[in-house]
PDB file of all heavy atoms in Angstrom:
ATOM      1  N   ILE B 172      98.928 106.450  93.857  1.00 99.00           N
ATOM      2  CA  ILE B 172      99.216 106.557  95.292  1.00 99.00           C
ATOM      3  C   ILE B 172      99.226 105.151  95.876  1.00 99.00           C
ATOM      4  O   ILE B 172      98.235 104.421  95.764  1.00 99.00           O
ATOM      5  CB  ILE B 172      98.160 107.440  95.988  1.00 99.00           C
ATOM      6  CG1 ILE B 172      98.138 108.831  95.352  1.00 99.00           C
ATOM      7  CG2 ILE B 172      98.437 107.526  97.491  1.00 99.00           C
ATOM      8  CD1 ILE B 172      97.108 109.790  95.955  1.00 99.00           C
ATOM      9  N   VAL B 173     100.341 104.770  96.459  1.00 98.00           N
ATOM     10  CA  VAL B 173     100.505 103.364  96.881  1.00 98.00           C
ATOM     11  C   VAL B 173     100.833 103.230  98.375  1.00 98.00           C
ATOM     12  O   VAL B 173     101.314 104.181  98.992  1.00 98.00           O
ATOM     13  CB  VAL B 173     101.579 102.651  96.023  1.00 98.00           C
ATOM     14  CG1 VAL B 173     101.148 102.597  94.565  1.00 98.00           C
ATOM     15  CG2 VAL B 173     102.935 103.306  96.138  1.00 98.00           C
ATOM     16  N   PRO B 174     100.567 102.053  98.937  1.00 98.00           N
ATOM     17  CA  PRO B 174     100.793 101.818 100.365  1.00 98.00           C
ATOM     18  C   PRO B 174     102.190 101.250 100.644  1.00 98.00           C
ATOM     19  O   PRO B 174     102.982 101.052  99.730  1.00 98.00           O
ATOM     20  CB  PRO B 174      99.722 100.784 100.696  1.00 98.00           C
ATOM     21  CG  PRO B 174      99.610  99.952  99.463  1.00 98.00           C
ATOM     22  CD  PRO B 174      99.928 100.873  98.307  1.00 98.00           C
ATOM     23  N   TRP B 175     102.447 100.963 101.916  1.00 98.00           N
ATOM     24  CA  TRP B 175     103.788 100.540 102.338  1.00 98.00           C
ATOM     25  C   TRP B 175     103.973  99.027 102.415  1.00 98.00           C
ATOM     26  O   TRP B 175     105.069  98.556 102.660  1.00 98.00           O
ATOM     27  CB  TRP B 175     104.124 101.140 103.715  1.00 98.00           C
ATOM     28  CG  TRP B 175     102.994 101.070 104.717  1.00 98.00           C
ATOM     29  CD1 TRP B 175     102.189 102.118 105.105  1.00 98.00           C
ATOM     30  CD2 TRP B 175     102.505  99.932 105.435  1.00 98.00           C
ATOM     31  NE1 TRP B 175     101.239 101.689 106.003  1.00 98.00           N
ATOM     32  CE2 TRP B 175     101.414 100.349 106.230  1.00 98.00           C
ATOM     33  CE3 TRP B 175     102.887  98.596 105.485  1.00 98.00           C
ATOM     34  CZ2 TRP B 175     100.695  99.483 107.068  1.00 98.00           C
ATOM     35  CZ3 TRP B 175     102.169  97.726 106.304  1.00 98.00           C
ATOM     36  CH2 TRP B 175     101.095  98.181 107.079  1.00 98.00           C
ATOM     37  N   ASN B 176     102.915  98.252 102.236  1.00 98.00           N
ATOM     38  CA  ASN B 176     103.072  96.812 102.521  1.00 98.00           C
ATOM     39  C   ASN B 176     103.796  96.047 101.414  1.00 98.00           C
ATOM     40  O   ASN B 176     104.543  95.112 101.693  1.00 98.00           O
ATOM     41  CB  ASN B 176     101.724  96.167 102.869  1.00 98.00           C
ATOM     42  CG  ASN B 176     100.686  96.339 101.793  1.00 98.00           C
ATOM     43  OD1 ASN B 176     100.822  97.172 100.904  1.00 98.00           O
ATOM     44  ND2 ASN B 176      99.646  95.539 101.869  1.00 98.00           N
ATOM     45  N   MET B 181     103.255  97.299  94.404  1.00 98.00           N
ATOM     46  CA  MET B 181     102.050  98.114  94.189  1.00 98.00           C
ATOM     47  C   MET B 181     102.331  99.230  93.172  1.00 98.00           C
ATOM     48  O   MET B 181     101.467  99.585  92.374  1.00 98.00           O
ATOM     49  CB  MET B 181     101.554  98.725  95.504  1.00 98.00           C
ATOM     50  CG  MET B 181     100.995  97.716  96.493  1.00 98.00           C
ATOM     51  SD  MET B 181      99.599  96.786  95.835  1.00 98.00           S
ATOM     52  CE  MET B 181     100.373  95.224  95.508  1.00 98.00           C
ATOM     53  N   LYS B 199     103.332 108.419  93.948  1.00 99.00           N
ATOM     54  CA  LYS B 199     103.625 108.778  95.342  1.00 99.00           C
ATOM     55  C   LYS B 199     103.680 107.527  96.196  1.00 99.00           C
ATOM     56  O   LYS B 199     102.661 106.895  96.460  1.00 99.00           O
ATOM     57  CB  LYS B 199     102.579 109.721  95.931  1.00 99.00           C
ATOM     58  CG  LYS B 199     103.063 110.235  97.309  1.00 99.00           C
ATOM     59  CD  LYS B 199     101.974 110.772  98.197  1.00 99.00           C
ATOM     60  CE  LYS B 199     101.402 109.759  99.159  1.00 99.00           C
ATOM     61  NZ  LYS B 199     102.334 109.226 100.172  1.00 99.00           N
ATOM     62  N   PRO B 200     104.877 107.146  96.635  1.00 99.00           N
ATOM     63  CA  PRO B 200     104.967 106.013  97.557  1.00 99.00           C
ATOM     64  C   PRO B 200     104.454 106.410  98.940  1.00 99.00           C
ATOM     65  O   PRO B 200     104.272 107.590  99.220  1.00 99.00           O
ATOM     66  CB  PRO B 200     106.470 105.722  97.596  1.00 99.00           C
ATOM     67  CG  PRO B 200     107.141 107.003  97.227  1.00 99.00           C
ATOM     68  CD  PRO B 200     106.188 107.754  96.333  1.00 99.00           C
ATOM     69  N   ALA B 201     104.226 105.432  99.792  1.00 98.00           N
ATOM     70  CA  ALA B 201     103.853 105.729 101.184  1.00 98.00           C
ATOM     71  C   ALA B 201     105.059 106.325 101.900  1.00 98.00           C
ATOM     72  O   ALA B 201     106.199 106.002 101.589  1.00 98.00           O
ATOM     73  CB  ALA B 201     103.392 104.462 101.885  1.00 98.00           C
ATOM     74  N   GLU B 202     104.793 107.176 102.872  1.00 98.00           N
ATOM     75  CA  GLU B 202     105.902 107.895 103.517  1.00 98.00           C
ATOM     76  C   GLU B 202     106.887 106.939 104.209  1.00 98.00           C
ATOM     77  O   GLU B 202     108.060 107.247 104.352  1.00 98.00           O
ATOM     78  CB  GLU B 202     105.365 108.911 104.532  1.00 98.00           C
ATOM     79  CG  GLU B 202     104.739 108.292 105.753  1.00 98.00           C
ATOM     80  CD  GLU B 202     103.905 109.291 106.549  1.00 98.00           C
ATOM     81  OE1 GLU B 202     104.498 109.980 107.376  1.00 98.00           O
ATOM     82  OE2 GLU B 202     102.683 109.362 106.348  1.00 98.00           O
ATOM     83  N   GLN B 203     106.402 105.761 104.636  1.00 98.00           N
ATOM     84  CA  GLN B 203     107.278 104.815 105.338  1.00 98.00           C
ATOM     85  C   GLN B 203     108.257 104.135 104.387  1.00 98.00           C
ATOM     86  O   GLN B 203     109.256 103.580 104.827  1.00 98.00           O
ATOM     87  CB  GLN B 203     106.446 103.723 106.044  1.00 98.00           C
ATOM     88  CG  GLN B 203     105.504 104.230 107.110  1.00 98.00           C
ATOM     89  CD  GLN B 203     104.179 104.702 106.541  1.00 98.00           C
ATOM     90  OE1 GLN B 203     103.990 104.821 105.331  1.00 98.00           O
ATOM     91  NE2 GLN B 203     103.233 104.994 107.427  1.00 98.00           N
ATOM     92  N   GLY B 230     106.384 112.009 100.162  1.00 98.00           N
ATOM     93  CA  GLY B 230     105.814 112.783 101.267  1.00 98.00           C
ATOM     94  C   GLY B 230     104.582 112.075 101.795  1.00 98.00           C
ATOM     95  O   GLY B 230     104.099 111.120 101.196  1.00 98.00           O
ATOM     96  N   PRO B 231     104.066 112.555 102.911  1.00 98.00           N
ATOM     97  CA  PRO B 231     102.905 111.906 103.532  1.00 98.00           C
ATOM     98  C   PRO B 231     101.592 112.224 102.812  1.00 98.00           C
ATOM     99  O   PRO B 231     101.562 113.046 101.893  1.00 98.00           O
ATOM    100  CB  PRO B 231     102.883 112.502 104.935  1.00 98.00           C
ATOM    101  CG  PRO B 231     103.765 113.678 104.925  1.00 98.00           C
ATOM    102  CD  PRO B 231     104.598 113.664 103.686  1.00 98.00           C
ATOM    103  N   GLY B 232     100.530 111.568 103.286  1.00 98.00           N
ATOM    104  CA  GLY B 232      99.196 111.810 102.741  1.00 98.00           C
ATOM    105  C   GLY B 232      98.893 113.303 102.713  1.00 98.00           C
ATOM    106  O   GLY B 232      98.412 113.840 101.711  1.00 98.00           O
ATOM    107  N   GLY B 236      99.901 113.530  99.181  1.00 98.00           N
ATOM    108  CA  GLY B 236      98.824 112.753  98.556  1.00 98.00           C
ATOM    109  C   GLY B 236      97.593 113.611  98.315  1.00 98.00           C
ATOM    110  O   GLY B 236      96.941 113.535  97.266  1.00 98.00           O
ATOM    111  N   ASP B 237      97.320 114.455  99.279  1.00 98.00           N
ATOM    112  CA  ASP B 237      96.165 115.348  99.209  1.00 98.00           C
ATOM    113  C   ASP B 237      96.280 116.305  98.010  1.00 98.00           C
ATOM    114  O   ASP B 237      95.289 116.593  97.327  1.00 98.00           O
ATOM    115  CB  ASP B 237      96.110 116.133 100.527  1.00 98.00           C
ATOM    116  CG  ASP B 237      94.825 116.907 100.696  1.00 98.00           C
ATOM    117  OD1 ASP B 237      93.768 116.268 100.842  1.00 98.00           O
ATOM    118  OD2 ASP B 237      94.885 118.150 100.644  1.00 98.00           O
ATOM    119  N   SER B 240      95.365 114.256  94.966  1.00 99.00           N
ATOM    120  CA  SER B 240      93.949 113.880  94.815  1.00 99.00           C
ATOM    121  C   SER B 240      93.060 115.092  94.537  1.00 99.00           C
ATOM    122  O   SER B 240      92.006 114.944  93.937  1.00 99.00           O
ATOM    123  CB  SER B 240      93.463 113.101  96.040  1.00 99.00           C
ATOM    124  OG  SER B 240      93.585 113.881  97.195  1.00 99.00           O
ATOM    125  N   PHE B 250      94.476 104.431  93.369  1.00 98.00           N
ATOM    126  CA  PHE B 250      94.880 104.416  94.779  1.00 98.00           C
ATOM    127  C   PHE B 250      94.832 103.000  95.333  1.00 98.00           C
ATOM    128  O   PHE B 250      93.871 102.264  95.086  1.00 98.00           O
ATOM    129  CB  PHE B 250      93.919 105.307  95.572  1.00 98.00           C
ATOM    130  CG  PHE B 250      94.076 105.207  97.067  1.00 98.00           C
ATOM    131  CD1 PHE B 250      95.073 105.914  97.726  1.00 98.00           C
ATOM    132  CD2 PHE B 250      93.240 104.388  97.827  1.00 98.00           C
ATOM    133  CE1 PHE B 250      95.229 105.817  99.106  1.00 98.00           C
ATOM    134  CE2 PHE B 250      93.394 104.288  99.204  1.00 98.00           C
ATOM    135  CZ  PHE B 250      94.390 105.007  99.845  1.00 98.00           C
ATOM    136  N   THR B 251      95.837 102.625  96.084  1.00 98.00           N
ATOM    137  CA  THR B 251      95.770 101.412  96.895  1.00 98.00           C
ATOM    138  C   THR B 251      96.089 101.798  98.323  1.00 98.00           C
ATOM    139  O   THR B 251      97.098 102.461  98.583  1.00 98.00           O
ATOM    140  CB  THR B 251      96.759 100.336  96.408  1.00 98.00           C
ATOM    141  OG1 THR B 251      96.390  99.950  95.089  1.00 98.00           O
ATOM    142  CG2 THR B 251      96.716  99.109  97.298  1.00 98.00           C
ATOM    143  N   GLY B 252      95.213 101.394  99.228  1.00 98.00           N
ATOM    144  CA  GLY B 252      95.434 101.733 100.630  1.00 98.00           C
ATOM    145  C   GLY B 252      94.199 101.411 101.436  1.00 98.00           C
ATOM    146  O   GLY B 252      93.401 100.549 101.068  1.00 98.00           O
ATOM    147  N   SER B 253      94.016 102.149 102.504  1.00 97.00           N
ATOM    148  CA  SER B 253      92.925 101.841 103.418  1.00 97.00           C
ATOM    149  C   SER B 253      91.589 102.371 102.893  1.00 97.00           C
ATOM    150  O   SER B 253      91.552 103.301 102.087  1.00 97.00           O
ATOM    151  CB  SER B 253      93.221 102.465 104.780  1.00 97.00           C
ATOM    152  OG  SER B 253      93.329 103.868 104.630  1.00 97.00           O
ATOM    153  N   VAL B 256      91.105 106.180 103.734  1.00 98.00           N
ATOM    154  CA  VAL B 256      91.717 107.138 102.810  1.00 98.00           C
ATOM    155  C   VAL B 256      91.065 107.037 101.432  1.00 98.00           C
ATOM    156  O   VAL B 256      90.901 108.053 100.746  1.00 98.00           O
ATOM    157  CB  VAL B 256      93.255 106.960 102.746  1.00 98.00           C
ATOM    158  CG1 VAL B 256      93.864 107.903 101.724  1.00 98.00           C
ATOM    159  CG2 VAL B 256      93.874 107.218 104.114  1.00 98.00           C
ATOM    160  N   LYS B 259      88.441 109.454 101.158  1.00 98.00           N
ATOM    161  CA  LYS B 259      88.951 110.834 100.988  1.00 98.00           C
ATOM    162  C   LYS B 259      89.340 111.090  99.535  1.00 98.00           C
ATOM    163  O   LYS B 259      89.190 112.205  99.034  1.00 98.00           O
ATOM    164  CB  LYS B 259      90.175 111.063 101.883  1.00 98.00           C
ATOM    165  CG  LYS B 259      89.832 111.051 103.360  1.00 98.00           C
ATOM    166  CD  LYS B 259      91.042 111.462 104.168  1.00 98.00           C
ATOM    167  CE  LYS B 259      90.743 111.286 105.653  1.00 98.00           C
ATOM    168  NZ  LYS B 259      91.934 111.392 106.478  1.00 98.00           N
ATOM    169  N   ILE B 260      89.857 110.064  98.883  1.00 98.00           N
ATOM    170  CA  ILE B 260      90.268 110.225  97.482  1.00 98.00           C
ATOM    171  C   ILE B 260      89.030 110.520  96.623  1.00 98.00           C
ATOM    172  O   ILE B 260      89.054 111.392  95.754  1.00 98.00           O
ATOM    173  CB  ILE B 260      90.976 108.941  96.975  1.00 98.00           C
ATOM    174  CG1 ILE B 260      92.207 108.611  97.829  1.00 98.00           C
ATOM    175  CG2 ILE B 260      91.299 109.034  95.488  1.00 98.00           C
ATOM    176  CD1 ILE B 260      93.415 109.447  97.610  1.00 98.00           C
ATOM    177  N   GLU B 275      91.831 100.278  95.292  1.00 98.00           N
ATOM    178  CA  GLU B 275      92.063  98.932  95.843  1.00 98.00           C
ATOM    179  C   GLU B 275      92.189  99.124  97.343  1.00 98.00           C
ATOM    180  O   GLU B 275      93.151  99.723  97.808  1.00 98.00           O
ATOM    181  CB  GLU B 275      93.370  98.341  95.311  1.00 98.00           C
ATOM    182  CG  GLU B 275      93.412  98.106  93.823  1.00 98.00           C
ATOM    183  CD  GLU B 275      92.665  96.860  93.394  1.00 98.00           C
ATOM    184  OE1 GLU B 275      92.005  96.213  94.245  1.00 98.00           O
ATOM    185  OE2 GLU B 275      92.711  96.544  92.199  1.00 98.00           O
ATOM    186  N   LEU B 276      91.230  98.620  98.102  1.00 98.00           N
ATOM    187  CA  LEU B 276      91.175  98.990  99.522  1.00 98.00           C
ATOM    188  C   LEU B 276      91.366  97.793 100.441  1.00 98.00           C
ATOM    189  O   LEU B 276      91.979  96.808 100.070  1.00 98.00           O
ATOM    190  CB  LEU B 276      89.858  99.718  99.786  1.00 98.00           C
ATOM    191  CG  LEU B 276      89.618 100.920  98.851  1.00 98.00           C
ATOM    192  CD1 LEU B 276      88.261 101.546  99.095  1.00 98.00           C
ATOM    193  CD2 LEU B 276      90.718 101.965  98.992  1.00 98.00           C
ATOM    194  N   GLY B 277      90.836  97.900 101.611  1.00 96.00           N
ATOM    195  CA  GLY B 277      91.097  96.895 102.631  1.00 96.00           C
ATOM    196  C   GLY B 277      90.351  95.593 102.397  1.00 96.00           C
ATOM    197  O   GLY B 277      89.554  95.461 101.469  1.00 96.00           O
ATOM    198  N   GLY B 278      90.618  94.634 103.263  1.00 98.00           N
ATOM    199  CA  GLY B 278      89.949  93.345 103.181  1.00 98.00           C
ATOM    200  C   GLY B 278      89.861  92.691 104.547  1.00 98.00           C
ATOM    201  O   GLY B 278      90.549  93.099 105.502  1.00 98.00           O
ATOM    202  N   CYS B 309      96.446  92.795 102.213  1.00 97.00           N
ATOM    203  CA  CYS B 309      94.998  93.021 102.179  1.00 97.00           C
ATOM    204  C   CYS B 309      94.184  91.766 101.907  1.00 97.00           C
ATOM    205  O   CYS B 309      93.030  91.684 102.305  1.00 97.00           O
ATOM    206  CB  CYS B 309      94.684  94.082 101.144  1.00 97.00           C
ATOM    207  SG  CYS B 309      95.446  93.723  99.552  1.00 97.00           S
ATOM    208  N   GLU B 408      89.450  95.380 109.593  1.00 98.00           N
ATOM    209  CA  GLU B 408      90.761  94.952 109.106  1.00 98.00           C
ATOM    210  C   GLU B 408      91.825  95.334 110.131  1.00 98.00           C
ATOM    211  O   GLU B 408      91.967  96.508 110.474  1.00 98.00           O
ATOM    212  CB  GLU B 408      91.052  95.631 107.769  1.00 98.00           C
ATOM    213  CG  GLU B 408      92.390  95.221 107.202  1.00 98.00           C
ATOM    214  CD  GLU B 408      92.682  95.881 105.862  1.00 98.00           C
ATOM    215  OE1 GLU B 408      92.604  97.118 105.774  1.00 98.00           O
ATOM    216  OE2 GLU B 408      93.005  95.154 104.913  1.00 98.00           O
ATOM    217  N   PHE B 410      95.277  94.254 109.916  1.00 98.00           N
ATOM    218  CA  PHE B 410      96.503  94.484 109.168  1.00 98.00           C
ATOM    219  C   PHE B 410      97.759  94.248 110.008  1.00 98.00           C
ATOM    220  O   PHE B 410      98.685  95.054 110.072  1.00 98.00           O
ATOM    221  CB  PHE B 410      96.515  95.895 108.573  1.00 98.00           C
ATOM    222  CG  PHE B 410      96.950  95.911 107.133  1.00 98.00           C
ATOM    223  CD1 PHE B 410      96.272  95.174 106.175  1.00 98.00           C
ATOM    224  CD2 PHE B 410      98.055  96.643 106.728  1.00 98.00           C
ATOM    225  CE1 PHE B 410      96.672  95.175 104.850  1.00 98.00           C
ATOM    226  CE2 PHE B 410      98.466  96.649 105.396  1.00 98.00           C
ATOM    227  CZ  PHE B 410      97.772  95.922 104.467  1.00 98.00           C
ATOM    228  N   LEU B 436      87.128  91.599  99.406  1.00 98.00           N
ATOM    229  CA  LEU B 436      88.298  91.566  98.520  1.00 98.00           C
ATOM    230  C   LEU B 436      88.565  90.156  98.005  1.00 98.00           C
ATOM    231  O   LEU B 436      88.715  89.944  96.806  1.00 98.00           O
ATOM    232  CB  LEU B 436      89.522  92.112  99.260  1.00 98.00           C
ATOM    233  CG  LEU B 436      90.726  92.423  98.370  1.00 98.00           C
ATOM    234  CD1 LEU B 436      90.374  93.449  97.296  1.00 98.00           C
ATOM    235  CD2 LEU B 436      91.893  92.923  99.209  1.00 98.00           C
ATOM    236  N   PHE B 474      92.037  91.739  89.447  1.00 98.00           N
ATOM    237  CA  PHE B 474      92.039  91.732  90.906  1.00 98.00           C
ATOM    238  C   PHE B 474      91.410  93.021  91.425  1.00 98.00           C
ATOM    239  O   PHE B 474      91.739  94.113  90.960  1.00 98.00           O
ATOM    240  CB  PHE B 474      93.488  91.620  91.419  1.00 98.00           C
ATOM    241  CG  PHE B 474      93.592  91.778  92.906  1.00 98.00           C
ATOM    242  CD1 PHE B 474      93.209  90.745  93.751  1.00 98.00           C
ATOM    243  CD2 PHE B 474      94.028  92.970  93.460  1.00 98.00           C
ATOM    244  CE1 PHE B 474      93.282  90.900  95.130  1.00 98.00           C
ATOM    245  CE2 PHE B 474      94.106  93.126  94.836  1.00 98.00           C
ATOM    246  CZ  PHE B 474      93.728  92.087  95.668  1.00 98.00           C
TER     247      PHE B 474
HETATM  248  P1  NAP Y  19      96.766 104.343 103.806  1.00 92.43           P
HETATM  249  O1  NAP Y  19      97.044 104.961 105.090  1.00 92.43           O
HETATM  250  O2  NAP Y  19      95.415 104.411 103.242  1.00 92.43           O
HETATM  251  O3  NAP Y  19      97.820 104.984 102.793  1.00 92.43           O
HETATM  252  C1  NAP Y  19      97.897 104.630 101.444  1.00 92.43           C
HETATM  253  C2  NAP Y  19      98.526 105.764 100.660  1.00 92.43           C
HETATM  254  O4  NAP Y  19      97.658 106.899 100.696  1.00 92.43           O
HETATM  255  C3  NAP Y  19      99.833 106.234 101.240  1.00 92.43           C
HETATM  256  O5  NAP Y  19     100.687 106.596 100.199  1.00 92.43           O
HETATM  257  C4  NAP Y  19      99.401 107.428 102.047  1.00 92.43           C
HETATM  258  O6  NAP Y  19     100.416 108.328 102.301  1.00 92.43           O
HETATM  259  C5  NAP Y  19      98.364 108.029 101.156  1.00 92.43           C
HETATM  260  N1  NAP Y  19      97.455 108.937 101.829  1.00 92.43           N
HETATM  261  C6  NAP Y  19      97.130 109.020 103.142  1.00 92.43           C
HETATM  262  N2  NAP Y  19      96.243 110.004 103.365  1.00 92.43           N
HETATM  263  C7  NAP Y  19      95.983 110.574 102.164  1.00 92.43           C
HETATM  264  C8  NAP Y  19      95.139 111.639 101.736  1.00 92.43           C
HETATM  265  N3  NAP Y  19      94.380 112.331 102.587  1.00 92.43           N
HETATM  266  N4  NAP Y  19      95.113 111.945 100.417  1.00 92.43           N
HETATM  267  C9  NAP Y  19      95.862 111.253  99.538  1.00 92.43           C
HETATM  268  N5  NAP Y  19      96.684 110.249  99.885  1.00 92.43           N
HETATM  269  C10 NAP Y  19      96.744 109.896 101.184  1.00 92.43           C
HETATM  270  O7  NAP Y  19      97.112 102.824 103.788  1.00 92.43           O
HETATM  271  P2  NAP Y  19      98.413 102.140 104.352  1.00 92.43           P
HETATM  272  O8  NAP Y  19      98.310 102.172 105.820  1.00 92.43           O
HETATM  273  O9  NAP Y  19      99.618 102.684 103.697  1.00 92.43           O
HETATM  274  O10 NAP Y  19      98.249 100.668 103.775  1.00 92.43           O
HETATM  275  C11 NAP Y  19      97.483  99.729 104.388  1.00 92.43           C
HETATM  276  C12 NAP Y  19      96.112  99.638 103.763  1.00 92.43           C
HETATM  277  O11 NAP Y  19      96.212  99.394 102.358  1.00 92.43           O
HETATM  278  C13 NAP Y  19      95.301  98.481 104.297  1.00 92.43           C
HETATM  279  O12 NAP Y  19      94.006  98.888 104.581  1.00 92.43           O
HETATM  280  C14 NAP Y  19      95.289  97.474 103.157  1.00 92.43           C
HETATM  281  O13 NAP Y  19      94.232  96.601 103.132  1.00 92.43           O
HETATM  282  C15 NAP Y  19      95.323  98.343 101.976  1.00 92.43           C
HETATM  283  N6  NAP Y  19      95.854  97.627 100.827  1.00 92.43           N
HETATM  284  C16 NAP Y  19      94.990  97.239  99.848  1.00 92.43           C
HETATM  285  C17 NAP Y  19      95.455  96.547  98.757  1.00 92.43           C
HETATM  286  C18 NAP Y  19      94.524  96.130  97.658  1.00 92.43           C
HETATM  287  O14 NAP Y  19      95.002  95.849  96.578  1.00 92.43           O
HETATM  288  N7  NAP Y  19      93.231  96.100  97.858  1.00 92.43           N
HETATM  289  C19 NAP Y  19      96.803  96.250  98.635  1.00 92.43           C
HETATM  290  C20 NAP Y  19      97.666  96.659  99.656  1.00 92.43           C
HETATM  291  C21 NAP Y  19      97.165  97.358 100.749  1.00 92.43           C
HETATM  292  P3  NAP Y  19     101.260 108.219 103.669  1.00 92.43           P
HETATM  293  O15 NAP Y  19     101.222 106.843 104.153  1.00 92.43           O
HETATM  294  O16 NAP Y  19     102.586 108.617 103.212  1.00 92.43           O
HETATM  295  O17 NAP Y  19     100.625 109.180 104.606  1.00 92.43           O
END
Side-chain angles (χ1 to χ4, degrees):
I172 302 179
V173 297
W175 43 256
N176 57 344
M181 291 301 105
K199 189 200 94 64
E202 69 195 274
Q203 298 84 351
D237 191 67
S240 60
F250 170 81
T251 297
S253 60
V256 177
K259 293 187 187 168
I260 301 285
E275 296 282 6
L276 306 176
C309 51
E408 181 179 53
F410 226 58
L436 193 59
F474 173 75

